[in-house]
Amino acid sequence: MDKITSKPISRFKKGDAFVGMAPHPLVFMEINEVKGDARNKDFCIVTWYSLDEKGINAQRRFPMVAVEGEFCNFKPISRNLLKEAKSLMHQYNAEVRQLTDKKKAKALCKEYNRKLTEMLPDAEERLALAQQIEKEIITNKWLDCEEDNYWVEDSEQGSKYITLVSVASESYDDKNDKNDKTITEQSIYLRDNCPYGWGTLVKSGAKYMVIEKPKYL
């Protein structure tokens, strides 16, 4: 099995490969060019590779600096492992471009990210951490209503949090008939007074936010 190098790389070459330490998003890095070094620093041009719901997301040829043979938040891996990962990414790219359903594209992206993770020597640790992150509730941030999320009140954390939903609606400005101007209004609902089902919220592009449940509720 391929192993992540335990010792820092002291000199870099074109084609050297790395993987991000964070489990999500999973990012691979390849050195395109070594620009030089100064004392304990190495200056390189690199490309990052990751997957999103549209295909391969490649951030090409931008500078990064390694200090004492290490890049911040990246671990070195073998070139062969990167080659296998890029091959799998291209396979995903071909499949996802044939999909028009956003939900199916998201599921396929998740599946291929899992396959990429399983190729890594620390896969078990990464998958466990990724699963833990998925269970964490994001608070105080507006997010898109999607089919794979729901009212937090119906979860195990329902006693601690509540869901706010923001729905946009348009109306005409009656006082300005000449321009026929439309006004966009935002309506905020709690679960108990929301007139829409979650499926309708998803289709309408509504937003939701999870906040800590006030003590008076």
Side-chain angles (χ1 to χ4, degrees):
M1 179 180 287
D2 203 337
K3 296 182 179 179
I4 290 180
T5 308
S6 58
K7 296 181 180 179
I9 296 177
S10 56
R11 297 182 64 179
F12 299 99
K13 296 179 180 179
K14 179 180 178 180
D16 284 347
F18 303 81
V19 65
M21 296 180 186
H24 180 78
L26 182 60
V27 180
F28 292 87
M29 183 173 76
E30 182 177 18
I31 291 182
N32 305 124
E33 186 179 350
V34 180
K35 303 294 287 186
D37 59 82
R39 295 184 179 179
N40 66 334
K41 297 180 180 179
D42 294 276
F43 303 92
C44 302
I45 302 297
V46 304
T47 294
W48 286 3
Y49 302 97
S50 61
L51 300 182
D52 59 28
E53 294 168 21
K54 296 181 180 179
I56 299 175
N57 180 17
Q59 301 180 48
R60 300 185 182 279
R61 299 191 62 83
F62 64 92
M64 278 194 71
V65 179
V67 179
E68 295 182 351
E70 293 184 339
F71 286 101
C72 180
N73 297 327
F74 280 88
K75 296 179 180 180
I77 56 176
S78 73
R79 297 186 179 201
N80 285 337
L81 182 51
L82 177 60
K83 183 178 179 181
E84 292 175 9
K86 288 169 72 174
S87 177
L88 192 61
M89 287 182 176
H90 284 293
Q91 182 179 325
Y92 165 75
N93 200 56
E95 288 187 33
V96 78
R97 289 190 174 186
Q98 298 177 15
L99 299 178
T100 55
D101 187 288
K102 184 178 179 181
K103 182 180 178 181
K104 290 182 179 179
K106 186 174 183 178
L108 188 66
C109 183
K110 184 176 181 180
E111 177 186 344
Y112 269 84
N113 269 307
R114 179 183 55 78
K115 290 180 179 180
L116 288 169
T117 300
E118 290 174 346
M119 295 171 60
L120 301 172
D122 58 346
E124 185 175 348
E125 179 183 345
R126 286 173 176 268
L127 291 171
L129 184 56
Q131 189 175 24
Q132 180 181 344
I133 292 174
E134 283 185 359
K135 292 181 179 180
E136 292 179 355
I137 295 177
I138 300 174
T139 60
N140 303 315
K141 183 178 181 181
W142 287 111
L143 302 170
D144 293 329
C145 291
E146 298 179 343
E147 293 185 10
D148 56 355
N149 50 44
Y150 201 62
W151 303 104
V152 72
E153 290 86 345
D154 293 336
S155 71
E156 297 177 356
Q157 304 292 333
S159 61
K160 299 179 181 179
Y161 301 96
I162 60 174
T163 310
L164 300 178
V165 171
S166 175
V167 181
S169 59
E170 291 187 350
S171 61
Y172 288 99
D173 186 358
D174 296 333
K175 298 179 181 180
N176 195 0
D177 294 334
K178 292 182 180 180
N179 295 329
D180 202 24
K181 186 177 181 181
T182 59
I183 300 174
T184 300
E185 298 178 345
Q186 297 286 339
S187 300
I188 306 296
Y189 299 101
L190 296 171
R191 185 187 67 164
D192 292 342
N193 70 347
C194 183
Y196 309 106
W198 194 264
T200 301
L201 295 171
V202 172
K203 293 178 181 179
S204 66
K207 303 280 187 178
Y208 79 99
M209 178 191 291
V210 175
I211 63 173
E212 289 189 17
K213 190 173 185 178
K215 294 181 180 179
Y216 56 82
L217 292 178

